[in-house]
Amino acid sequence: MMVESMSQRSQRVWLITGCSSGFGKIFVSAILAWGDRVIATARDISTLSNFAHCDDVELLELDITDSQHVLNDKVSKAIAMFGQIDVLVNNAGYVLSGVLEELSQPQILDQFNTNVFGPLNLTRAVLPHMRSRQSGTIIFMSSIAAWKGVAIGGPYSASKFALEGFVESLQKEVAPLGVNLHLAVLAQFRTDILSAQRRQSGRGVNSIRDYDAAVDAFQSRLEQTNGKQPGDPIQAVERIMDLVYRRGYFADQRELPLRIVLGSDAVEIVRDECQQMLDDLKKQEQFGTSTDYPSRGEVEKYE
Ligand SMILES: NC(=O)c1ccc[n+]([C@@H]2O[C@H](COP(=O)([O-])OP(=O)(O)OC[C@H]3O[C@@H](n4cnc5c(N)ncnc54)[C@H](OP(=O)(O)O)[C@@H]3O)[C@@H](O)[C@H]2O)c1
């Protein structure tokens, strides 16, 4: 596939959540540098003041945990800004860590409202527009946490596992209608996500001594990792844009993958997890297939 030159292509419009910092902010700058238009959103619109005077940017206040009704209204406003939305990046999210016994149901619900239900609700609001144009791309920011559960990392991991499960199904529903969905499975990238101000911990008055050592080890690992993550978020944004624009590595790929895995630690973790599963499956094959009825009926493959 030929890559279009700047003068040949029509400008695309991106809608991005969580542009106050990190990946969201980098996306806005990178899209403008590429010559496209962007609707930058944040819970607090004053955090977007850097972009306020750019011609190809519109600013919109948007909290991803708002009701479906509010999100539908925001999407209508967003469409009116440039007349269309070509690409949605479901970027907003945060890390909640903690031990199940210490975490409250509202804390876990809030993690899921932000990392799972919010992106799905916003996607629900955007899909009618994309379906009617038979065109659109939606990016979901996933994580190695969706591929490997670690002690004390349960809430964030569960949210990203859930997101991947839903998106994998949804992709099969909307791809025949012209809408492409992709998951960016990200390693550890150097944004503010692990800073003390941004990450949340389930530890509070309910702390249980049995878990002290594990929680302390996890928290100090996050503190040590903060600011030293091996991944460069500017490079990750460029790779995601390569996918959307079918440029670079994707210029001559006939089919685009559902998942792109970014960061050397993500490549290693996904490979190790798949290998571990294959090894376990090989050992358990006879055991696992022993539960069928003796005369197994013919049913369609689960897909
Ligand atoms: N950095 C990594 O290593 C990494 C790895 C894997 C996946 N990811 C994913 O990448 C995405 C972006 O993370 P980041 O690294 O750029 O972190 P970040 O710098 O902390 O940015 C997170 C953004 O999400 C916004 N946000 C949080 N809750 C929101 C809500 N209810 N409504 C709207 N916006 C909300 C924050 O806005 P406020 O300023 O209002 O809080 C902020 O703009 C997240 O989904 C994260 O899970 C990151």
Side-chain angles (χ1 to χ4, degrees), residues 17-24 42-44 62-65 90-94 114-115 141-144 156 160 186-193 198 229:
T17 63
C19 296
S20 71
S21 66
F23 282 114
R43 287 193 279 203
D44 174 0
L62 190 150
D63 184 328
I64 197 69
T65 61
N90 277 304
N91 169 69
Y94 75 95
T114 304
N115 291 7
M141 300 295 262
S142 185
S143 163
I144 44 175
Y156 184 67
K160 295 294 184 182
L186 299 155
Q188 302 185 88
F189 282 88
R190 210 171 296 173
T191 67
D192 275 349
I193 196 164
R198 290 200 168 267
Q229 295 96 324

Side-chain angles (χ1 to χ4, degrees), residues 176-191:
L177 309 176
V179 183
N180 297 317
L181 265 51
H182 302 285
L183 287 154
V185 182
L186 299 155
Q188 302 185 88
F189 282 88
R190 210 171 296 173
T191 67

